[in-house]
Amino acid sequence: MRWITITALFTSGCVPHLESVAGQGKWSWDAPENSWELTEPPDGTVGTGFNEGDTVPDFRLGDQLGDEVSLWQFYGDVILLDISTVWCAPCQELAKETAATYADYKDEGFTYITVLQEDVEGGKLDLDEVNQWVDAFGIVSPVLDDDSKAGTGAAISQGQYPAVILINRKLKVVERINPPEDDVVRSAIESIL
């Protein structure tokens, strides 16, 4: 009988979820320790999704320096979120322009964040592979590893890479940039700076 009860729990679609503890109020955001700029988001900020008009969800991923980075630590900047894979040719083309795009707009309150989800064979990345990407394209902005796709997996639509998402200074998704070409990306950035 006990086996039937345990089996029923697994087959009934029981999915764990997180809830705040009663009496503790709002979730709090804790600043990560890293060398990138940091501005705390307003209390009560809640991520709703990766579609236009949504507040982008926070995620914490390792960067090319081995430090933890939070998307929300860039609150107050216009953010270009480029979700790519190492094997993807259009991702590589976009990466060729990453350093120049970041350099051209960073003094206007702009951050370019690259998130890599897969290595050249479609598998998990390691820090060396992230740094190979950084070195190959001369990138000086955050490059993050999300090979588990826990932070940015929901941002990928129909398995198409790269996903390029423009986020305003209040962490709202302004646009999913398509096609993800340099002139289109720059035009979108300039429209909200």
Side-chain angles (χ1 to χ4, degrees):
M1 184 64 156
R2 184 176 172 163
W3 172 253
I4 293 171
T5 303
I6 292 171
T7 303
L9 284 174
F10 285 111
T11 60
S12 67
C14 179
V15 178
H17 62 281
L18 300 174
E19 295 181 20
S20 60
V21 177
Q24 287 190 344
K26 299 175 185 173
W27 290 98
S28 64
W29 181 86
D30 295 318
E33 291 184 28
N34 59 53
S35 59
W36 306 106
E37 69 177 86
L38 187 136
T39 303
E40 289 196 21
D43 285 343
T45 301
V46 175
T48 56
F50 290 97
N51 296 313
E52 289 181 21
D54 288 345
T55 298
V56 71
D58 192 24
F59 52 74
R60 292 183 180 240
L61 301 170
D63 69 3
Q64 68 262 45
L65 305 172
D67 295 328
E68 180 184 69
V69 173
S70 162
L71 177 63
W72 284 7
Q73 79 179 68
F74 301 99
Y75 177 83
D77 277 1
V78 169
I79 303 166
L80 186 75
L81 181 61
D82 165 8
I83 305 167
S84 289
T85 67
V86 176
W87 54 261
C88 162
C91 302
Q92 294 168 17
E93 286 302 311
L94 188 59
K96 291 176 184 176
E97 302 300 328
T98 299
T101 302
Y102 177 63
D104 289 347
Y105 301 113
K106 71 178 181 174
D107 292 338
E108 297 179 55
F110 170 77
T111 299
Y112 195 122
I113 299 174
T114 303
V115 176
L116 296 174
Q117 289 189 342
E118 296 177 359
D119 69 8
V120 72
E121 296 173 351
K124 293 194 176 284
L125 293 152
D126 61 32
L127 187 57
D128 287 339
E129 291 166 314
V130 171
N131 278 298
Q132 287 172 8
W133 183 271
V134 168
D135 293 342
F137 299 108
I139 299 173
V140 295
S141 56
V143 178
L144 312 178
D145 174 358
D146 190 17
D147 60 18
S148 70
K149 299 179 184 150
T152 58
I156 299 302
S157 177
Q158 300 175 347
Q160 295 180 347
Y161 292 95
V164 182
I165 301 169
L166 187 61
I167 302 163
N168 73 15
R169 297 180 192 280
K170 296 185 186 255
L171 301 173
K172 295 276 188 191
V173 175
V174 174
E175 180 180 352
R176 292 179 72 97
I177 300 172
N178 199 8
E181 298 168 353
D182 185 57
D183 59 334
V184 179
V185 168
R186 285 174 177 269
S187 178
I189 293 167
E190 290 170 4
S191 74
I192 67 165
L193 277 178

